[in-house]
Amino acid sequence: MGADTKIKICGLTTPEAVAAVNEIKADMAGLVFFPKSPRNVSISDACALAGGLASSVQSVALVVDAPDHELDEIIGGVAPNMLQLHGAETPERVAQIKARTGLPVMKALAIAEAGDLAAARAYEKVADWLLFDAKPPKSLANALPGGNGLVFDWTLLTGFESACPWMLSGGLDADNVAEAARISGARAVDVSSGVESEPGLKDPDRIRAFAAAARS
């Protein structure tokens, strides 16, 4: 960890969260387009939120197995800098979306064991970023594709090298992000529920604390 650690705050829903993201000089800010998520935003609200971001903060539109027409609506209404694919998109679908939209693509991958990490290799040459999130256990009712506040075994990533940059996600907060990065070797971290006062509502103080810890 250090001052050069890249930070992504995901699931913004309020102007106060946008202001905090700007204040900490985050690298990326995620806007969620998934109705089942407490962080889901409409295209009009997302446009207003993205418009408030500093020019140095990349806006990332998070979608889950979105069809082309849905991607077109989001891109046309919000003009995000990047797409985050958080569903079961295949490498072929990732390549298709990237070619069709002309936007950089981050592919989220659920990790629980070494085999999950091995499977991620198929995405290295088609995605611009990989994001490793915790795979929800089958026993977790109503689990979301991400933002469940779950961690996975960070040692799985120790020494991991990829053909494209990768980001650590899954249950991170101000208390564990430094240790998570030390163990995994992550140089980029993503947080959602770990900086919230309640599901879907970001806490500016927690955002500041997370950034301070991540860059310590």
Side-chain angles (χ1 to χ4, degrees):
M1 299 299 277
D4 58 346
T5 298
K6 292 188 178 297
I7 294 176
K8 175 172 172 281
I9 309 294
C10 195
L12 306 188
T13 59
T14 66
E16 291 78 13
V18 170
V21 163
N22 290 339
E23 179 186 335
I24 67 162
K25 296 180 170 59
D27 298 275
M28 302 178 190
L31 299 163
V32 176
F33 300 91
F34 184 58
K36 293 181 180 179
S37 170
R39 302 162 193 97
N40 183 58
V41 288
S42 66
I43 289 178
S44 60
D45 285 347
C47 182
L49 293 166
L53 291 170
S55 59
S56 59
V57 183
Q58 287 189 294
S59 58
V60 182
L62 186 159
V63 297
V64 179
D65 299 314
D68 287 344
H69 71 85
E70 184 178 324
L71 294 173
D72 291 345
E73 291 174 4
I74 293 168
I75 293 168
V78 184
N81 299 121
M82 184 181 297
L83 297 173
Q84 178 175 332
L85 309 181
H86 219 103
E89 299 90 358
T90 63
E92 293 75 20
R93 177 60 173 157
V94 173
Q96 178 192 36
I97 289 173
K98 184 176 175 181
R100 185 176 181 276
T101 64
L103 288 174
V105 171
M106 176 183 292
K107 179 65 183 95
L109 298 156
I111 305 296
E113 56 191 33
D116 297 324
L117 200 57
R121 294 291 185 189
Y123 292 90
E124 285 182 309
K125 294 183 179 179
V126 294
D128 296 274
W129 277 88
L130 301 179
L131 181 144
F132 298 124
D133 200 354
K135 179 183 286 187
K138 293 180 180 179
S139 60
L140 182 63
N142 302 316
L144 297 168
N148 295 297
L150 302 174
V151 300
F152 63 93
D153 182 1
W154 301 318
T155 63
L156 292 171
L157 286 165
T158 302
F160 180 79
E161 294 186 4
S162 171
C164 71
W166 58 272
M167 183 173 290
L168 180 64
S169 187
L172 299 181
D173 57 30
D175 293 330
N176 67 13
V177 64
E179 181 185 11
R182 179 183 61 79
I183 292 172
S184 67
R187 297 175 184 172
V189 291
D190 170 82
V191 66
S192 184
S193 60
V195 291
E196 291 180 343
S197 54
E198 61 184 73
L201 185 62
K202 295 291 182 285
D203 182 324
D205 288 338
R206 294 187 190 190
I207 290 176
R208 295 183 193 101
F210 181 87
R215 291 169 173 154
S216 63

